[in-house]
Amino acid sequence: MAALYACTKCHQRFPFEALSQGQQLCKECRIAHPMVKCTYCRTEFQQESKTNTICKKCAQNVKLYGTPKPCQYCNIIAAFIGNKCQRCTNSEKKYGPPYSCEQCKQQCAFDRKDDRKKVDGKLLCWLCTLSYKRVLQKTREQRKHLSSSSRAGHQEKEQYSRLSAGSHFNSQKTLSTSSIQNEIPKKKPKFDAITANGDSFSPDLALDSPGTDHFVIMAQLKEEVATLKKMLHQKDQMILEKEKKITELKADLQYQESQMRAKMNQMEKTHKEVTEQLQAKNRELLKQAAALSKGKKSEKSGAMTSP
């Protein structure tokens, strides 16, 4: 009886082939909790719910430090403290200042001084390295699938060639000697025509060689990988530009709100000062009016008492 292994999410037991290699999840858990990229730091994490778009580490940092800013090196919106994300800060302390990435041309690739850690000898940033490895893994899986299918097709061709050779041998027994001699001159010019062109004839060239098909498939896969790289780079650039634009709009909105708040405070202060000045002037005028009315009353009383 084959050994059974527990899924790390639902804890049900399955054969080893039914579980994923990294997370050891069953098919239902992989569908219910897929691997997605964090909106901020762009690392892959297992999604607990459809509304959960950021990883646990970024969620904790948002509670502590608020919404992050774009990193000044990699432009990933993960700079919770200062102008650099934690990944670039640690890499800069360990490997020194960043260099230009050979893929995205941004100043965010750190030289580890070890050619074994480079991707095909290229100095790539973290995002481009992940994208390259992801495409390489898909290509390897496709090659493995195609090699198994081409091997099965090659075995079928060999079996068919053996069967056809046996039937051809049986049919040749019934031919007469004269018919064989008449048949030989008909086939000989074909060989002569091939040798006359300067090419040596090989029986393998007359068959559909599976190796040739494999090389054609390899060339097509390389073209597809190059196209996917280009599309992935373009999409990453679009995402980065949109995230940068959103950040700029948020900063502009905050600046406008602060300016509007300052303007309203200034207007309120000016209005209060004008009101106080008018009230003081009104009191002064009331005093003057009272003094004038009192003077007029005294004049009238003086005129009435005089003979």
Side-chain angles (χ1 to χ4, degrees), residues 8 19 24 41 99 112-113 265 304:
T8 56
L19 301 177
Q24 295 293 309
C41 64
Y99 294 88
R112 301 185 179 183
K113 311 298 182 183
N265 292 334
M304 290 176 65

Side-chain angles (χ1 to χ4, degrees), residues 102-114:
E102 295 183 21
Q103 183 69 25
C104 64
K105 308 303 179 184
Q106 293 190 81
Q107 202 79 9
C108 56
F110 294 91
D111 191 3
R112 301 185 179 183
K113 311 298 182 183
D114 188 358

Side-chain angles (χ1 to χ4, degrees), residues 69-70 77 242-252:
K69 297 178 292 184
I77 304 178
K242 288 182 179 179
E243 290 176 348
K244 187 177 179 181
K245 191 173 181 180
I246 290 170
T247 306
E248 290 176 354
L249 290 173
K250 285 182 178 178
D252 189 23

Side-chain angles (χ1 to χ4, degrees), residues 156-169:
E156 290 179 358
K157 285 181 181 180
E158 287 182 349
Q159 186 178 2
Y160 175 75
S161 61
R162 286 197 298 269
L163 291 173
S164 60
S167 61
H168 180 67
F169 178 76

Side-chain angles (χ1 to χ4, degrees), residues 26-156:
C26 63
K27 186 176 180 180
E28 293 181 358
C29 291
R30 289 199 299 271
I31 296 173
H33 306 284
M35 296 294 292
V36 296
K37 283 186 178 181
C38 176
T39 306
Y40 291 144
C41 64
R42 309 302 296 165
T43 55
E44 291 186 348
F45 71 99
Q46 190 176 353
Q47 192 178 32
E48 298 294 335
S49 62
K50 293 183 178 180
T51 57
N52 185 19
T53 58
I54 60 176
C55 62
K56 294 181 179 178
K57 188 176 181 180
C58 287
Q60 186 177 2
N61 287 332
V62 168
K63 291 180 181 179
L64 293 174
Y65 308 108
T67 306
K69 297 178 292 184
C71 176
Q72 69 177 18
Y73 289 153
C74 61
N75 280 329
I76 297 176
I77 304 178
F80 291 95
I81 304 173
N83 297 324
K84 303 172 191 174
C85 65
Q86 193 64 36
R87 189 181 296 109
C88 289
T89 302
N90 294 337
S91 298
E92 188 177 18
K93 289 180 181 178
K94 192 173 182 180
Y95 307 113
Y99 294 88
S100 177
C101 175
E102 295 183 21
Q103 183 69 25
C104 64
K105 308 303 179 184
Q106 293 190 81
Q107 202 79 9
C108 56
F110 294 91
D111 191 3
R112 301 185 179 183
K113 311 298 182 183
D114 188 358
D115 293 336
R116 292 176 299 175
K117 294 183 179 180
K118 293 183 179 180
V119 184
D120 286 346
K122 295 181 180 180
L123 183 61
L124 302 179
C125 64
W126 180 74
L127 274 180
C128 293
T129 302
L130 286 183
S131 301
Y132 189 87
K133 289 182 178 180
R134 196 181 301 114
V135 173
L136 192 63
Q137 181 65 25
K138 289 182 180 179
T139 306
R140 286 175 181 172
E141 292 176 357
Q142 290 176 356
R143 286 179 182 177
K144 186 177 179 181
H145 177 70
L146 288 171
S147 62
S148 61
S149 61
S150 63
R151 196 180 299 113
H154 183 55
Q155 291 176 356
E156 290 179 358

